[in-house]
């Protein structure tokens, strides 16, 4: 079942440097939301904070009505997909996908028969059935990323988080996998947040886009809303011609008065 993620007033510092400034954002249940922005804008730090891989210095993350502070990392049930796959090289595709299920406490672990059935379902879902006995080194980059996604889905996550999931792939494979991921999301309905610096990727995939800059959210909206009505100069400049083609920036931002 899809769960909403509520991010409330998140602050994060690394030593003396503040990297997230009072971030508040809601990701609706079943929504696919992109975190878009330049390098150093805080996208990955926010994603890792949702996952529990970073601890915030202020504010809270809720999964539905549950404050994530009350949950262990395992109890958050986050499916996380990294840019560079993070597969176990010594394990087959089948064992990589099954890892999260086999790592559960004995009282919560499915039977080996159920685990194999789940792996087979996931292999079909990501269109890799027949490759279960291969090792990561025997797969293409696109296939490895599909295995990583199947492994993340294998734990039946509350929320799916993807950090630049196609960043290590060439342009043709990236485009094919974007379309595939969108179709997969429509079938599974997981609440999904993904990080990207690629505007085309964000606008093609996401239901809504949150644009970050310097650890702050500059604008949140649908791709159409953001393209047609950038809310400030940063968003307009960041999007470049994408924004100004639809709505001239002079119509959006207050004009400076000429000196009298």
């Amino acid at each position: 079942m899809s769960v909403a993620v509520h991010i409330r007033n998140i602050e994060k510092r690394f030593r003396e440097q503040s990297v997230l400034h009072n971030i508040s954002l809601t990701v609706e249940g079943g929504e696919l939301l992109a975190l878009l922005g330049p390098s150093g804008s805080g996208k990955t730090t926010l994603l890792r904070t949702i996952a529990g891989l970073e601890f915030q210095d202020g504010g809270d993350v809720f999964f539905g009505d549950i404050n994530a502070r009350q949950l262990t990392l395992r109890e958050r049930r986050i499916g996380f997909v990294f840019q560079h796959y993070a597969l176990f090289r010594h394990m087959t595709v089948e064992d990589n996908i099954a890892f999260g299920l086999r790592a559960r406490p004995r009282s919560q672990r499915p039977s080996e028969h159920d685990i194999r059935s789940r792996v087979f379902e996931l292999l079909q879902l990501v269109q890799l059935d027949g490759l279960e006995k291969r090792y990561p080194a025997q797969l293409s980059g696109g296939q490895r990323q599909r295995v990583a996604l199947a492994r993340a889905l294998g734990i039946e996550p509350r929320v799916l988080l993807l950090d630049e999931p196609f960043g290590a792939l060439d342009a043709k494979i990236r485009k094919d996998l974007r379309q595939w991921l969108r179709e997969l999301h429509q079938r599974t309905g997981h609440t999904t947040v993904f990080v990207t610096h690629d505007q085309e990727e964000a606008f093609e995939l996401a239901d809504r886009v949150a644009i970050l800059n310097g650890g702050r959210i500059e604008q949140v909206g649908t791709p159409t809303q953001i393209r047609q009505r950038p809310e400030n100069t940063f968003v307009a400049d960041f999007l470049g011609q994408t924004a100004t083609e639809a709505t001239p920036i002079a119509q959006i931002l207050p004009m400076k008065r000429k000196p009298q």
Side-chain angles (χ1 to χ4, degrees):
M1 184 177 178
S2 300
V3 63
V5 179
H6 305 287
I7 300 159
R8 296 289 180 262
N9 309 115
I10 291 294
E11 299 276 350
K12 177 65 182 176
R13 292 181 295 276
F14 289 122
R15 296 179 181 172
E16 300 302 315
Q17 183 179 6
S18 182
V19 293
L20 295 177
H21 306 273
N22 197 31
I23 294 277
S24 291
L25 177 68
T26 290
V27 187
E28 301 295 344
E31 182 178 30
L32 199 162
L33 183 134
L35 301 177
L36 173 65
S39 297
S41 59
K43 307 182 300 293
T44 293
T45 301
L46 179 57
L47 198 76
R48 290 174 61 86
T49 301
I50 297 170
L53 300 176
E54 299 284 355
F55 294 99
Q56 66 266 29
D57 295 299
D60 292 285
V61 176
F62 290 84
F63 298 111
D65 297 328
I66 303 173
N67 192 321
R69 292 180 186 271
Q70 304 169 14
L71 304 173
T72 65
L73 194 59
R74 186 193 302 273
E75 289 169 341
R76 290 191 186 206
R77 289 208 347 250
I78 296 292
F80 205 114
V81 179
F82 298 88
Q83 178 176 345
H84 294 288
Y85 323 125
L87 299 177
F88 299 110
R89 291 178 293 177
H90 65 288
M91 290 185 181
T92 63
V93 166
E94 179 180 5
D95 289 338
N96 264 284
I97 296 173
F99 179 81
L101 294 171
R102 290 178 176 146
R104 285 182 179 177
R106 186 176 298 274
S107 61
Q108 302 172 23
R109 191 182 310 156
S111 69
E112 196 58 33
H113 176 270
D114 289 342
I115 289 176
R116 284 196 296 270
S117 295
R118 177 65 175 154
V119 169
F120 180 72
E121 291 172 3
L122 288 165
L123 283 167
Q124 288 187 311
L125 186 66
V126 300
Q127 301 170 351
L128 290 177
D129 42 317
L131 302 183
E132 60 270 14
K133 298 304 181 185
R134 293 194 184 182
Y135 288 86
Q138 298 172 302
L139 303 175
S140 69
Q143 289 171 331
R144 290 178 201 171
Q145 198 58 291
R146 291 189 190 203
V147 174
L149 186 55
R151 185 177 63 184
L153 293 172
I155 64 168
E156 299 171 338
R158 277 194 180 93
V159 178
L160 185 61
L161 305 178
L162 304 97
D163 187 8
E164 298 272 8
F166 310 134
L169 304 173
D170 65 43
K172 173 65 167 63
I173 297 174
R174 283 173 69 107
K175 192 167 185 66
D176 290 345
L177 281 182
R178 285 205 300 262
Q179 182 178 355
W180 171 81
L181 180 60
R182 183 68 212 180
E183 293 170 354
L184 181 69
H185 178 264
Q186 289 171 347
R187 291 202 300 272
T188 61
H190 284 90
T191 304
T192 303
V193 182
F194 75 98
V195 161
T196 183
H197 65 273
D198 185 321
Q199 296 173 31
E200 181 183 351
E201 188 165 277
F203 291 143
E204 181 178 329
L205 266 174
D207 298 314
R208 286 191 304 148
V209 178
I211 297 182
L212 277 74
N213 175 41
R216 294 180 171 85
I217 292 180
E218 298 283 353
Q219 185 171 354
V220 183
T222 68
T224 299
Q225 289 169 342
I226 291 175
R227 278 175 165 147
Q228 293 185 350
R229 298 227 172 252
E231 290 183 353
N232 55 45
T233 52
F234 171 80
V235 175
D237 289 344
F238 180 67
L239 298 183
Q241 292 302 312
T242 303
T244 57
E245 283 171 1
T247 307
I249 191 64
Q251 296 179 18
I252 303 167
L253 303 174
M255 294 181 65
K256 293 182 179 180
R257 292 181 178 273
K258 294 181 179 180
Q260 299 295 321

